[in-house]
Amino acid sequence: MEVYLDNNATTIVDPKVYEEMKPFFCDIYGNPNSLHKFGAGTHPKMVEALNFLYEGINAADEDDVIVTANATESNNTVLKGIWIDKILNGDKKHIITSEVEHPSITAVCKFLESQGVSVTYLPVNEEGVLEASLVKDFIKEDTALVSIMWANNETGKIFPIKEIGAICKEAGVPFHTDATQAIGKIPVDVQDCNVDYLSFSAHKFHGPKGVGGLYVRKGFSLTPLLHGGEQMGGLRAGTVDVASMVGMGWAMKLATSTMAIAYEKNHVSKLRDKLEAAILELPETIVIGGKENRTPNTTLISFRGVEGESMLWDLNQAGIGASTGSACASEDLEANPVMNAFGSDSELAHTGVRFSLSRFNTEEQIDYAIDVIKKAVTRLRAISSSYAYAPSCHKSGL
């Protein structure tokens, strides 16, 4: 059996989404910027897809939703746009983010620091969540942007976005959130949460890879990251990938419906909890960050004495896909930065394995995964020198 439990890295394209995309490869293939009927023929479905994106995050008609290549581009657009508009050409010099952001945020922040920008990296608490009060404490007169993720890609922990949005609005500071891991798992409402910029990627909610979006509230314009043609109202140059845009729109519609969110909350979380409970029957295993306040599909588990990479090898041999953390940093064998941010000891920080489910997982798959995981842990601990000489109690360092 093959069991895919790495849905925070990417998801299968929903077959319904694929069917909507197919005509735009060989049948309706005109450049949407062309004036003839071949180009104009793409417009109705593009408008429909854009409407689905607006509805999925409750954007207002006067706001902008820009189609990008992915959330990485969207994040870069916001951070570098703020840098150009408010720091290089303004009187601001400070950005606030968290220690556990996706690399497409932290890497840009490191670059901006090399250009003289002051960046504050706020720590998370023992549960892996950023406390909203910290944002308020660190906002200054020269703060140009606050950028905090909606849900963590490794732990699934949900951050207090509504509270942070209110704090930023009161302080008059633009607020950006990377909602890549939230859309399709929990309700995402930019109006209710006072969000000014929001990033997402279609392939995280059963859409195609290579397409994403950036929400921009009216009045919060940015210098574009890409200059060229007048696509997206001049906000993002380059010919739109119509098939992918249509796919992303339909994926958003399917993933954010009331029924879909309820299914995530009830069915997907039930499977996640079953997997988690069975794993925790093993001695010296813990859920990193605890079980509360998470997206319904994610668990990050530490197995004392078992290196994450070794665990993934055994799982892969048995046809199971999982992860030691963010796919964008999976080739880096350094200790998991999220677990380090929690204060985990150095040995524990190498033992985290992330299991992330989707609506396409079945109970039969979870039963098979439980059996394989338990056997893998037993085998790896039997040959682990660190486990053989470990203390009898599991000190997580959290």
Side-chain angles (χ1 to χ4, degrees):
M1 184 182 292
E2 291 188 346
V3 183
Y4 185 69
L5 299 176
D6 199 16
N7 288 277
N8 284 8
T10 196
T11 59
I12 183 175
V13 173
D14 189 311
K16 295 177 183 177
V17 170
Y18 178 57
E19 288 301 316
E20 293 290 338
M21 293 175 64
K22 284 199 293 187
F24 296 93
F25 292 105
C26 298
D27 298 326
I28 311 173
Y29 52 82
N31 187 318
N33 298 108
S34 298
L35 298 179
H36 46 62
K37 67 176 184 179
F38 297 96
T42 66
H43 293 176
K45 280 292 187 178
M46 291 176 67
V47 171
E48 179 185 66
L50 202 57
N51 286 337
F52 290 156
L53 297 179
Y54 272 75
E55 292 168 3
I57 60 174
N58 194 29
D61 290 343
E62 60 269 23
D63 300 332
D64 289 311
V65 175
I66 306 166
V67 176
T68 65
N70 43 49
T72 292
E73 181 190 327
S74 300
N75 290 340
N76 272 258
T77 299
V78 174
L79 288 167
K80 292 177 181 175
I82 289 291
W83 173 48
I84 293 170
D85 297 338
K86 293 185 175 294
I87 298 177
L88 289 180
N89 296 300
D91 57 358
K92 308 294 184 181
K93 64 177 183 179
H94 178 231
I95 290 174
I96 295 174
T97 189
S98 82
E99 292 182 349
V100 296
E101 298 294 314
H102 187 270
S104 62
I105 292 290
T106 57
V108 180
C109 286
K110 295 298 182 185
F111 164 74
L112 294 180
E113 284 184 295
S114 73
Q115 304 302 306
V117 178
S118 172
V119 180
T120 297
Y121 301 89
L122 299 179
V124 294
N125 62 22
E126 65 276 4
E127 295 180 354
V129 175
L130 175 67
E131 296 176 2
S133 59
L134 268 183
V135 176
K136 186 174 184 177
D137 291 342
F138 281 88
I139 287 180
K140 303 184 293 185
E141 288 188 5
D142 65 351
T143 300
L145 179 72
V146 171
S147 179
I148 304 295
M149 59 173 37
W150 199 305
N152 186 265
N153 47 300
E154 298 192 32
T155 63
K157 303 298 283 190
I158 300 169
F159 286 17
I161 295 303
K162 185 172 183 176
E163 291 82 353
I164 295 172
I167 289 168
C168 291
K169 184 177 182 179
E170 182 180 0
V173 176
F175 176 43
H176 166 250
T177 183
D178 180 353
T180 303
Q181 296 293 344
I183 291 177
K185 299 168 187 172
I186 58 175
V188 171
D189 187 329
V190 295
Q191 305 302 330
D192 182 55
C193 293
N194 296 301
V195 172
D196 301 314
Y197 308 103
L198 180 142
S199 305
F200 56 89
S201 275
H203 75 107
K204 304 294 189 178
F205 50 90
H206 301 290
K209 298 175 182 64
V211 63
L214 172 61
Y215 162 82
V216 180
R217 184 183 294 278
K218 180 184 178 181
F220 288 81
S221 60
L222 292 165
T223 294
L225 183 67
L226 301 178
H227 291 86
E230 290 302 311
Q231 295 89 352
M232 292 287 127
L235 300 175
R236 198 270 189 182
T239 301
V240 175
D241 181 341
V242 179
S244 292
M245 179 180 176
V246 169
M248 177 167 64
W250 273 92
M252 178 73 82
K253 176 181 174 62
L254 294 171
T256 60
S257 70
T258 301
M259 289 182 62
I261 295 296
Y263 191 83
E264 288 281 331
K265 181 179 179 180
N266 298 316
H267 180 75
V268 176
S269 66
K270 181 179 177 181
L271 293 181
R272 186 272 312 275
D273 292 347
K274 179 177 182 177
L275 173 67
E276 192 175 80
I279 292 174
L280 293 178
E281 292 175 356
L282 295 167
E284 299 190 278
T285 56
I286 59 170
V287 176
I288 303 299
K291 300 179 181 181
E292 303 301 320
N293 191 39
R294 295 179 294 172
T295 53
N297 76 316
T298 305
T299 182
L300 179 63
I301 297 183
S302 164
F303 303 85
R304 174 68 74 174
V306 177
E307 288 216 3
E309 290 76 22
S310 299
M311 184 70 169
L312 294 189
W313 173 265
D314 274 28
L315 297 183
N316 187 55
Q317 293 299 104
I320 297 175
S323 171
T324 55
S326 169
C328 296
S330 61
E331 294 182 3
D332 184 355
L333 296 183
E334 294 296 318
N336 187 312
V338 170
M339 294 177 71
N340 282 340
F342 291 3
S344 301
D345 63 65
S346 59
E347 191 270 330
L348 178 62
H350 284 276
T351 65
V353 177
R354 182 186 69 187
F355 301 98
S356 48
L357 288 66
S358 83
R359 64 178 183 262
F360 290 94
N361 286 122
T362 66
E363 190 155 9
E364 181 185 18
Q365 290 178 338
I366 298 305
D367 289 337
Y368 173 73
I370 289 169
D371 183 60
V372 170
I373 291 167
K374 287 187 172 182
K375 289 177 179 177
V377 172
T378 299
R379 187 190 81 81
L380 292 169
R381 281 179 170 173
I383 60 175
S384 170
S385 59
S386 63
Y387 187 75
Y389 297 101
S392 58
C393 60
H394 187 152
K395 294 183 179 179
S396 68
L398 295 182

